[in-house]
Amino acid sequence: MAPLPISSIRVGQIDDVQELIKFKPNKVPERFIREEYERGVVVSSLKTQHLHHQIPVIDLSKLSKPHNDDFFFEILKLSQACEDWGFFQVINHGIEVEVVEDVEKVAKEFFDMPLEEKKKYPMEPGTVQGYGQAFIFSEDQKLDWCNMFALGVHPPQIRNPKLWPSKPARFSESLEGYSKEIRELCKRLLKYIAISLGLKEERFEEMFGEAVQAVRMNYYPPCSSPDLVLGLSPHSDGSALTVLQQSKNSCVGLQILKDNTWVPVKPLPNALVINIGDTIEVLSNGKYKSVEHRAVTNREKERLTIVTFYAPNYEVKIEPMSELVDDETNPCKYRSYNHGDYSYHYVSNKLQGKKSLDFAKILN
């Protein structure tokens, strides 16, 4: 979420979807309607039930005691999850339910405020912090059926203090406490991922420097024609890790692209959904892959998610780790680049699957 200067980008009229359903509940404006090819093939409901159980679940309590059978089995599961899916759920992660529920509460309260109050924290064209829609760069670009509120969290210099809201009253306090817990979780996960790659456990933390952390709250209201729209366009994440928390009682909305088919992901109770970002794909020289994913909407139910992006410091040089490159058996697949440059590239383009990662690929 590197900041971009506000430019002369013309984005046209961007309707607020909460206002649309309030005043025109049965109308979907043309700018939200997707072509049929964009909607893709979704796995059948019968097969979905089976695949729900295939999406790996990692029990972090089994990784708290290293070097026993449970530990090595869970590390193997983690490795397979990162290699085959790029997504997994974590249970027994140690974050108190009260912390999670509290941040959900203030997020929902923010989205429930009058539009004029939320517009005090605008996401200006060409930026990725504030309230509105990100990644819009033209007047005819299709829009997602979603309202976003995004903030830089850590380190302090990436924050825009003017965008941190004064209402709800406990918003900042709640988000600070939650973000601290998620930051520690990401550090733990990166240690386990390093071990699964055969690296020393501190490898990522040593190279990341003062890691960058950002949060984006996504609110997807019901849509009268959910088959015509997308909640969030297909993309992979530019981060190292992404942590998704879906609020209780939300409908299923996350879908991941598996074998050219969109597979719905149903979060387990009190679990967090983790996905590998482009940065880990590059650092692992393609062994662990970031996966294209998207969000869809529901005719009757709303959905609220809180998404944390965790990445190296913008000054860090990113390239495949030497331990994972072999000129003969596993040659280098990605070039060396500055993470800040990639972040700028990522937020300067609309979401288009994994197209952003072309920035780093070595073309044969």
Side-chain angles (χ1 to χ4, degrees), residues 228-249:
L228 298 181
V229 306
L230 287 176
L232 190 60
S233 300
H235 63 286
S236 62
D237 294 332
S239 56
L241 292 178
T242 301
V243 181
L244 179 140
Q245 173 190 330
Q246 176 166 297
S247 70
K248 255 188 325 189
N249 303 320

Side-chain angles (χ1 to χ4, degrees), residues 265-321:
V265 177
K266 183 178 182 180
L268 298 170
N270 301 320
L272 296 168
V273 178
I274 313 295
N275 65 276
I276 297 298
D278 295 344
T279 300
I280 292 293
E281 175 167 338
V282 172
L283 292 172
S284 70
N285 200 31
K287 181 176 175 64
Y288 294 168
K289 289 185 170 57
S290 61
V291 171
E292 197 171 331
H293 53 286
R294 68 181 188 178
V296 295
T297 62
N298 186 277
R299 189 182 304 276
E300 297 171 353
K301 295 191 72 175
E302 65 183 5
R303 179 168 178 255
L304 172 67
T305 63
I306 299 164
V307 185
T308 299
F309 305 96
Y310 189 86
N313 191 276
Y314 292 138
E315 302 303 317
V316 170
K317 183 174 78 169
I318 302 297
E319 62 186 356
M321 291 182 160

Side-chain angles (χ1 to χ4, degrees), residues 12-280:
Q13 179 177 335
I14 298 179
D15 290 315
D16 185 285
V17 286
Q18 287 174 266
E19 298 299 299
L20 283 176
I21 65 163
K22 190 185 298 181
F23 297 107
K24 298 178 180 178
N26 298 314
K27 179 177 175 58
V28 178
E30 182 65 29
R31 202 171 171 193
F32 289 90
I33 297 175
R34 301 295 183 123
E35 298 293 339
E36 190 170 347
Y37 74 88
E38 292 182 88
R39 302 170 208 162
V41 177
V42 180
V43 73
S44 69
S45 58
L46 186 63
K47 195 175 177 185
T48 297
Q49 293 174 6
H50 175 59
L51 283 169
H52 279 332
H53 298 295
Q54 285 192 2
I55 294 169
V57 177
I58 306 300
D59 185 345
L60 290 191
S61 68
K62 294 182 178 179
L63 293 170
S64 61
K65 298 177 181 177
H67 310 307
N68 61 23
D69 288 347
D70 281 348
F71 177 86
F72 289 115
F73 180 70
E74 216 64 21
I75 288 291
L76 178 61
K77 278 175 59 181
L78 177 62
S79 177
Q80 291 171 338
C82 294
E83 195 166 347
D84 298 339
W85 285 87
F87 269 80
F88 54 93
Q89 300 195 52
V90 292
I91 58 174
N92 296 321
H93 45 68
I95 301 176
E96 296 292 338
V97 173
E98 292 78 15
V99 173
V100 170
E101 290 179 345
D102 193 42
V103 78
E104 285 178 8
K105 182 174 182 291
V106 296
K108 184 62 166 60
E109 287 173 357
F110 176 85
F111 284 112
D112 285 345
M113 290 195 304
L115 179 60
E116 289 308 310
E117 185 67 30
K118 291 181 285 190
K119 285 173 73 173
K120 293 178 181 177
Y121 314 101
M123 185 181 291
E124 301 288 355
T127 69
V128 287
Q129 294 195 46
Y131 176 77
Q133 283 213 21
F135 306 104
I136 307 298
F137 296 97
S138 69
E139 296 179 280
D140 58 357
Q141 185 178 333
K142 291 294 184 180
L143 300 177
D144 293 328
W145 194 264
C146 175
N147 285 338
M148 301 176 177
F149 186 48
L151 295 167
V153 175
H154 189 84
Q157 56 265 34
I158 74 165
R159 296 187 180 202
N160 183 340
K162 294 179 181 178
L163 296 177
W164 283 67
S166 56
K167 298 178 184 177
R170 293 189 60 258
F171 184 95
S172 295
E173 177 188 349
S174 178
L175 182 57
E176 291 275 17
Y178 173 78
S179 295
K180 184 178 179 181
E181 296 279 354
I182 295 293
R183 186 154 59 248
E184 292 306 311
L185 172 64
C186 288
K187 290 179 181 179
R188 288 170 60 202
L189 287 171
L190 285 170
K191 287 182 180 181
Y192 301 140
I193 290 171
I195 293 170
S196 76
L197 287 166
L199 305 168
K200 65 176 185 176
E201 65 177 55
E202 305 295 338
R203 187 71 163 90
F204 290 118
E205 189 165 357
E206 288 174 356
M207 72 153 294
F208 275 28
E210 189 171 18
V212 171
Q213 183 178 354
V215 68
R216 190 177 71 222
M217 301 173 178
N218 302 312
Y219 180 74
Y220 307 92
C223 179
S224 60
S225 301
D227 54 320
L228 298 181
V229 306
L230 287 176
L232 190 60
S233 300
H235 63 286
S236 62
D237 294 332
S239 56
L241 292 178
T242 301
V243 181
L244 179 140
Q245 173 190 330
Q246 176 166 297
S247 70
K248 255 188 325 189
N249 303 320
S250 284
C251 58
V252 174
L254 172 65
Q255 295 182 344
I256 65 176
L257 192 62
K258 176 74 170 167
D259 302 324
N260 295 314
T261 302
W262 290 105
V263 179
V265 177
K266 183 178 182 180
L268 298 170
N270 301 320
L272 296 168
V273 178
I274 313 295
N275 65 276
I276 297 298
D278 295 344
T279 300
I280 292 293

